[in-house]
Amino acid sequence: RAQAAKFSPLGPPRKIDRMGERSMMRTVDGPVAGHALAPALTPNVAATMRGLGALLMASLLNASAASAGAAKASLIKGVSYGPVPLKSVEGASQLPEDDWFCDEAVPMWGPAGRADLRNIKNLGANFVRLYGNNPNNDHANFLDEARAEGLSVAAGMSDYPYYQQQSPANCQATKFNCFTQVKPLYLKNLQNGFLTSDGQYHSALKYMNILNE
């Protein structure tokens, strides 16, 4: 520290008060109290430093805005979609199935009918959670329409293989080792819309819920 002050053109070496650990260094503007003060910057260097500081601040602000934008874009705002058109348990029990993303339900979710997917999007959602799923039904059209509306999809697997299936036996009969029941049904899902012609998952399909509750 003494060496640095010795060769400074700005004044005599600083004096240190050992009791208070305060130092004095003479600058072009006069003596300033401190601990490790550097010589004053030339106008060109000072301007450069100010420019770099402004650039750094702008970069940090842009990075912060980009991070916030990415977080907002990845935030799930979802709607659970199971539009059972009956108000009683007895009536609902008469439904042959609860697969609402098959082609038979196009009048409900398609643009030519009730346009449920568009209405869900207009509510501000970006995600649709499904429940019923008959793997024998094709689901490509629903996934295409969801993608067109800017919606991601979380498909669900029906509880049919777990409790209702008789042949082969359901999961209760195999002590809830459900591999033999679930694998063939999921394969049918892949063949009926979950995979595209190039063998990739449909871009609208983001999650698959294989067991509900």
Side-chain angles (χ1 to χ4, degrees), residues 185-204:
L185 297 181
Y186 191 69
L187 176 60
K188 287 184 178 180
N189 276 147
L190 297 178
Q191 297 168 339
N192 288 323
F194 282 19
L195 292 185
T196 57
S197 58
D198 59 356
Q200 302 296 314
Y201 274 102
H202 195 288
S203 58

Side-chain angles (χ1 to χ4, degrees), residues 101 103 109-111 117-118 130 138-153 192-197 200-205:
F101 69 124
D103 289 344
W109 51 259
L117 289 178
R118 182 165 300 169
L130 302 168
D138 190 90
H139 299 111
N141 288 325
F142 182 94
L143 295 173
D144 288 345
E145 184 64 24
R147 178 177 58 192
E149 294 292 346
L151 295 168
S152 297
V153 176
N192 288 323
F194 282 19
L195 292 185
T196 57
S197 58
Q200 302 296 314
Y201 274 102
H202 195 288
S203 58
L205 188 63

Side-chain angles (χ1 to χ4, degrees), residues 4-212:
K6 178 180 179 181
F7 293 103
S8 171
L10 300 175
R14 58 194 168 175
K15 298 178 181 180
I16 300 176
D17 177 3
R18 295 296 181 185
M19 296 297 294
E21 287 296 321
R22 291 178 65 83
S23 63
M24 295 291 292
M25 175 177 282
R26 183 173 298 280
T27 69
V28 291
D29 297 320
V32 179
H35 287 282
L37 301 181
L41 300 175
T42 65
N44 288 341
V45 174
T48 300
M49 294 297 289
R50 286 195 296 271
L52 289 174
L55 181 62
L56 176 60
M57 180 60 70
S59 298
L60 290 174
L61 290 175
N62 288 336
S64 178
S67 178
K72 184 177 181 180
S74 63
L75 181 66
I76 292 177
K77 295 175 287 185
V79 170
S80 292
Y81 187 63
V84 178
L86 299 165
K87 296 183 179 180
S88 68
V89 175
E90 293 76 14
S93 66
Q94 298 176 27
L95 287 173
E97 61 182 73
D98 59 349
D99 183 345
W100 301 109
F101 69 124
C102 66
D103 289 344
E104 289 184 82
V106 167
M108 302 181 75
W109 51 259
R114 201 167 69 178
D116 286 352
L117 289 178
R118 182 165 300 169
N119 291 328
I120 289 171
K121 178 65 176 180
N122 289 338
L123 288 172
N126 59 11
F127 192 85
V128 178
R129 161 75 159 95
L130 302 168
Y131 291 89
N133 177 355
N134 182 346
N136 293 314
N137 294 333
D138 190 90
H139 299 111
N141 288 325
F142 182 94
L143 295 173
D144 288 345
E145 184 64 24
R147 178 177 58 192
E149 294 292 346
L151 295 168
S152 297
V153 176
M157 182 166 282
S158 171
D159 64 1
Y160 177 77
Y162 301 102
Y163 297 109
Q164 303 169 33
Q165 182 173 282
Q166 299 299 318
S167 179
N170 60 49
C171 291
Q172 295 181 94
T174 56
K175 299 181 179 179
F176 291 97
N177 181 347
C178 302
F179 181 81
T180 57
Q181 291 88 356
V182 171
K183 182 182 177 181
L185 297 181
Y186 191 69
L187 176 60
K188 287 184 178 180
N189 276 147
L190 297 178
Q191 297 168 339
N192 288 323
F194 282 19
L195 292 185
T196 57
S197 58
D198 59 356
Q200 302 296 314
Y201 274 102
H202 195 288
S203 58
L205 188 63
K206 301 301 183 184
Y207 299 93
M208 181 65 189
N209 183 30
I210 63 170
L211 181 62
N212 187 46

